[in-house]
Amino acid sequence: MSGVSCAPRPLEAEPTTWRRALQETVLLLGRDGENAAAAAADAKWIVREVAGVAGADWWLALDSPPRPDQTQRLRSMVSRRLDGEPVAYLLGGWAFRSLHLCVGPGALVPRSETEQLVEVALERLGVLSGGAASAPLVADLGTGTGAIALSIAAEHPSATCWAVDSQPAALAWAQRNLDRYPELSRRVNLSRGHWYRGLPRGLRGKLDLLVSNPPYVSEDEYGQLPPDVRREPLSALVGGSDGMSDVREIVREARFWLRPGSSLVMEVAERRAEQVGELAAGEGARSVRVHADLAGRPRMMVAAW
Ligand SMILES: C[S@@+](CC[C@H](N)C(=O)[O-])C[C@H]1O[C@@H](n2cnc3c(N)ncnc32)[C@H](O)[C@@H]1O
C-alpha cells in the first residue's frame, strides 16, 4: 500500500467560473456514492447559496468567477456535505409551504410529505373548500421547527395553535422561526412537554384539530436510514422498538382533547398506516381515513371522534 488516499479532495483548483464550480461540486458529491440526480440537486443548492444569487440571476451569474472567500466557503460546505451533514443544515434554512424556516442540528428538516399533511389539516378546517372554521383551536404535537403550526397559522387567518415539543433544541429553532414571522406570533404558542402534557389543561375537550408528525421509525429501520438522515435527532425519528410507541400515546389520548366531531391528522409510516388506522378505530374513532401522498403511498391518517 502506498498510503495514498482515494477520497475525493474537494475543489482543489480555484474554479474559474460558477459553472465550473458547480460541475466540480456535482462530481465530488456524486463520487461519494450519492445518486447522480441527488448529487446534482444538492450541488445546485450549495453553489447557489455560496454565490448568493437566486432565480434568473443565478443563470446570469454562471459565467462569472467566484471570489477567493466564496471558493473557501464552498470548499468548507462541500466537505461538510461529504461528511454527511444534511443540505438543509448547511444552508441553515429550508422552504416549507409559504414559509422559509431556519433549521439546523437539533431539529428535523421539514419534509414535503409534511407539507401535504398540512394540506389535509387545512382541508379539515374547511380552508380549502372556502368555508374556513372560525377561530379554530389547533395543537401541533412534536413541532420541531414549528413547520406545521406556523403554516396553519399562516394559511388560516384566525387559527390559534399550540406547538409542543419535548426537546429544548427543537424548540429553540421553533422560537427562531416564530421570531421570523412576528405577524403569526400572537396566534402560535410554543411550549415544552411530553405530548399532551405540554398543552394547557383548559384545552381538554376543546380542540378543533390535532396534528402530529411524531417519531415513527422503528429501531431496526433506523439502522437502514441514509447517513445524512441519521444526523437529524434520534428523538425526532425513532418511536421505540416497533416505531409505534409515540403514535400509540398520541392516538390513545386524542379523544379527551378533541371537541366532539373533530379530528386527529397524523403522518404515519407507510408500512404501518393500516395498523395506525386500526388503533384509532379501537379507540372509538367514528371515522378513519388514510390519505396517500403524491407518490401514492399511504402516509396520512385522519381520525374523527
Ligand atoms: C418527526 S419530528 C416532526 C417535526 C416537525 N413537526 C416536522 O414535521 O417537521 C418529531 C418531533 O417530535 C418531538 N418529540 C419526540 N418525542 C416527544 C415527546 N415525548 N413529546 C413531545 N415532542 C416529542 C421531537 O423532538 C421532534 O421535534
Side-chain angles (χ1 to χ4, degrees):
M1 289 291 290
S2 65
V4 176
S5 167
C6 296
R9 310 245 322 257
L11 293 170
E12 277 201 284
E14 292 289 328
T16 46
T17 61
W18 284 112
R19 189 185 304 282
R20 185 77 205 128
L22 179 62
Q23 287 163 347
E24 281 185 36
T25 305
V26 173
L27 284 176
L28 285 162
L29 297 185
R31 254 192 266 170
D32 202 44
E34 225 182 309
N35 77 55
D42 290 353
K44 193 167 154 191
W45 280 116
I46 292 170
V47 176
R48 275 205 314 201
E49 163 71 15
V50 177
V53 285
D57 289 345
W58 160 246
W59 300 104
L60 299 174
L62 274 176
D63 291 314
S64 57
R67 296 188 311 265
D69 62 307
Q70 289 174 315
T71 304
Q72 199 53 41
R73 181 161 176 236
L74 182 56
R75 280 202 186 101
S76 147
M77 285 176 84
V78 169
S79 299
R80 285 164 63 193
R81 178 67 193 140
L82 289 171
D83 196 36
E85 202 164 327
V87 174
Y89 285 5
L90 294 177
L91 304 180
W94 205 238
F96 187 84
R97 293 187 68 92
S98 63
L99 309 174
H100 187 83
L101 300 171
C102 300
V103 67
L108 190 92
V109 178
R111 307 292 208 271
S112 62
E113 300 91 290
T114 311
E115 291 182 309
Q116 279 185 265
L117 186 78
V118 172
E119 189 90 0
V120 174
L122 290 169
E123 188 243 298
R124 296 310 296 172
L125 292 175
V127 174
L128 306 180
S129 55
S134 170
L137 306 180
V138 178
D140 167 18
L141 298 181
T143 199
T145 53
I148 296 173
L150 283 164
S151 290
I152 291 176
E155 294 183 57
H156 190 306
S158 67
T160 300
C161 301
W162 280 264
V164 175
D165 209 289
S166 57
Q167 302 302 311
L171 282 171
W173 287 106
Q175 184 61 57
R176 255 179 97 170
N177 287 319
L178 203 53
D179 294 343
R180 276 177 75 80
Y181 294 98
E183 69 281 14
L184 303 179
S185 62
R186 263 185 319 110
R187 292 187 292 113
V188 178
N189 307 285
L190 293 184
S191 69
R192 183 174 171 203
H194 179 95
W195 303 129
Y196 298 92
R197 279 184 240 153
L199 294 174
R201 282 195 71 76
L203 282 179
R204 264 177 97 87
K206 299 211 173 104
L207 288 174
D208 296 285
L209 186 71
L210 265 166
V211 196
S212 186
N213 173 18
Y216 53 68
V217 173
S218 73
E219 281 168 7
D220 284 348
E221 289 160 356
Y222 180 77
Q224 315 300 316
L225 294 176
D228 58 347
V229 176
R230 278 186 274 134
R231 293 286 279 266
E232 295 178 86
L234 189 80
S235 52
L237 295 166
V238 177
S241 59
D242 64 352
M244 287 288 289
S245 62
D246 296 299
V247 171
R248 272 189 211 100
E249 270 194 67
I250 292 170
V251 171
R252 284 192 177 140
E253 219 181 313
R255 66 196 154 112
F256 302 112
W257 290 85
L258 288 167
R259 205 172 44 73
S262 51
S263 307
L264 165 67
V265 175
M266 184 183 254
E267 189 168 312
V268 295
E270 178 181 354
R271 63 176 66 173
R272 286 183 281 281
E274 203 176 317
Q275 190 185 351
V276 181
E278 285 166 6
L279 179 65
E283 291 298 321
R286 60 174 176 77
S287 91
V288 176
R289 284 186 60 198
V290 174
H291 294 247
D293 66 10
L294 291 173
R297 301 168 306 176
R299 297 287 268 112
M300 291 156 277
M301 186 209 57
V302 179
W305 274 267

